[in-house]
Amino acid sequence: MGRTNITQPTEFILLGLSSQPEDQKPLFAMFLPIYLITVIGNLLIILTISSDTHLQTPMYFFLSVLSVVDICYVTVIIPKMLANFLSERKAISYGECLTQMYFFIAFGNTDSYLLAAMAIDRYVAICNPLHYITIMNHRRCVLLLVLSFCIPHLHSLLHILLTNQLIFCASNVIHHFFCDDQSVLKLSCSSHFVKEITVMTEGLAIIMTPFSCIIISYLRIFITVLKIPSAAGKCKAFSTCGSHLTVVTLFYGSISYVYFKPLSNYTVRDRIATIVYTILTPMLNPFIYSLRNKDMKQGLMKLMHRGLEKLISRIKFQMNRLSTTNSNKIRGA
C-alpha cells in the first residue's frame, strides 16, 4: 500500500450491531432498558449490602465492589452505543476510542480478578471454616481488592501504549459497537506482531491467573464437599457457590469464544457473543445473586421494607402538614 493510503485517523466510525437505518431505533429501544436495569439492579445490590449488618462479610464486600465495577463497565460502552443508534454519523474520536478501550480492558479484567477473590473466599469458608475470620481478615481483603484493580489497569495501559504505536490504513470503519482491541487491530497497516505476541503471552497470563485461582479453588471445594457425609450438608455447601459459578461460566465462556482464536477469524458472530460478557452478564449478576441467595433475598426485602416505611412516613408527614395548613386558613377566615 502506498504512503498516501496510510494515515493516522483523527476519528473512527463504529459500524455497530447493524448498518441498516430501520434497525437503529428498535436497537435503541432494546438496549436502553438493559442499561437502566443493569445500573438500578447493581445499585440495589450495593445498597442492600451496605445497609444490612448481616451482609458485612468478605464475600458480600467483593460482591458490592463487583457491582460498582459492572456499572462502570457497561457505562464505558452502552451510552456511546445508544447515542450512535440515534445519530447518522457514528463517529468516535481517536483519543475517545483509546480511552474507551483502556477502561473496557481494565474493568473487564477487574471483573475476573474480583470473581477470583470471591472464589478464594468460598474456598476458605468451606475448606477452612474454623480459620475463616483469621485468614479472610480486613487486611487480606483490601490486598485482594488492590491487586484486583492495579494488575488490570497496568495490563490495560500496556495494550493502549502498544495500540497507539500502530499505523492505520485509510479505512477507519470499526466493525463493532465499541472500540474493541481486536477490531481496531484489523485496521492497522503496520506490523502488529509485538501486539499479538503480547496478547498471547502477557495477556494470556493476566487472564489465566484469576481463572486458575477459580479452578483450583473449586476443585478443592469439590473434594472437601465430597467428604461431607450428609446429603443436606453437601447441598448447603454447594448452594453457597451456585450463584458465583453461574456468573463465572457466563463470563469466561463468552470471553473464551471471542478472544481465544486468530485475529483473522474474528467475525460478526463474535461481535454478538461479545454482548454476553459486556452487557448481559452485568445485567444478570444482580438477578443471579439475589434470586439464588437466601441472605441477599432477605437483605433486599429489608431494604424495600425500610424504603416503603420511609415513603409512608413522608406521605403521612406531608398530609399532616397540609391538614395543619388548611386548619390555620379556616381559623384565619
Side-chain angles (χ1 to χ4, degrees), residues 58-59 61-62 65 69 109-124 132 135-152 209-210 213 217:
M59 178 66 176
F61 165 71
F62 288 122
V65 177
V69 172
N109 281 282
T110 301
D111 253 12
S112 66
Y113 275 80
L114 287 171
L115 289 173
M118 293 166 77
I120 293 169
D121 174 83
R122 290 299 83 203
Y123 159 71
V124 176
Y132 177 74
I135 296 172
M136 295 302 294
N137 55 41
H138 179 73
R139 183 180 176 183
R140 285 200 175 94
C141 287
V142 171
L143 178 61
L144 285 171
L145 184 63
V146 170
L147 290 174
S148 297
F149 276 88
C150 288
I151 294 174
T209 297
C213 286
S217 296

Side-chain angles (χ1 to χ4, degrees), residues 33 63 66 68 76-77 116 121 139 148 159 184 192 202 205 215 218 248 254 269-270 272 302 307 315 330:
L63 177 57
L66 181 67
V68 173
V76 166
I77 298 168
D121 174 83
R139 183 180 176 183
S148 297
H159 281 267
V184 173
H192 39 74
E202 183 269 351
I215 295 297
Y218 275 106
V248 167
S254 53
R269 190 176 295 178
D270 300 317
I272 296 169
K302 288 179 185 177
I315 291 171
I330 292 169

Side-chain angles (χ1 to χ4, degrees), residues 54-234:
H54 294 96
L55 299 178
Q56 305 299 313
T57 63
M59 178 66 176
Y60 295 109
F61 165 71
F62 288 122
L63 177 57
S64 64
V65 177
L66 181 67
S67 292
V68 173
V69 172
D70 279 345
I71 292 172
C72 296
Y73 194 36
V74 295
T75 302
V76 166
I77 298 168
I78 299 184
K80 182 62 179 178
M81 183 171 66
L82 292 174
N84 283 345
F85 286 145
L86 302 179
S87 173
E88 292 184 4
R89 192 168 180 274
K90 307 175 189 301
I92 183 170
S93 70
Y94 181 76
E96 190 180 352
C97 182
L98 290 186
T99 302
Q100 187 184 59
M101 190 191 299
Y102 171 83
F103 284 109
F104 166 73
I105 295 171
F107 288 133
N109 281 282
T110 301
D111 253 12
S112 66
Y113 275 80
L114 287 171
L115 289 173
M118 293 166 77
I120 293 169
D121 174 83
R122 290 299 83 203
Y123 159 71
V124 176
I126 294 172
C127 301
N128 295 285
L130 298 178
H131 299 95
Y132 177 74
I133 296 175
T134 306
I135 296 172
M136 295 302 294
N137 55 41
H138 179 73
R139 183 180 176 183
R140 285 200 175 94
C141 287
V142 171
L143 178 61
L144 285 171
L145 184 63
V146 170
L147 290 174
S148 297
F149 276 88
C150 288
I151 294 174
H153 278 270
L154 290 172
H155 163 71
S156 181
L157 181 62
L158 172 63
H159 281 267
I160 296 305
L161 291 174
L162 289 173
T163 302
N164 195 42
Q165 300 301 313
L166 300 175
I167 297 173
F168 294 93
C169 300
S171 174
N172 65 339
V173 178
I174 297 175
H175 293 267
H176 218 311
F177 56 88
F178 71 102
C179 286
D180 180 58
D181 193 33
Q182 299 277 51
S183 299
V184 173
L185 267 182
K186 291 182 78 172
L187 301 180
S188 173
C189 293
S190 59
S191 172
H192 39 74
F193 175 76
V194 175
K195 172 80 172 176
E196 288 201 63
I197 289 296
T198 304
V199 169
M200 298 306 295
T201 53
E202 183 269 351
L204 192 62
I206 292 295
I207 292 171
M208 290 307 296
T209 297
F211 184 69
S212 300
C213 286
I214 293 168
I215 295 297
I216 293 169
S217 296
Y218 275 106
L219 281 175
R220 297 294 297 271
I221 288 169
F222 185 72
I223 293 168
T224 302
V225 170
L226 287 179
K227 294 177 182 178
I228 299 174
S230 67
K234 290 178 181 178

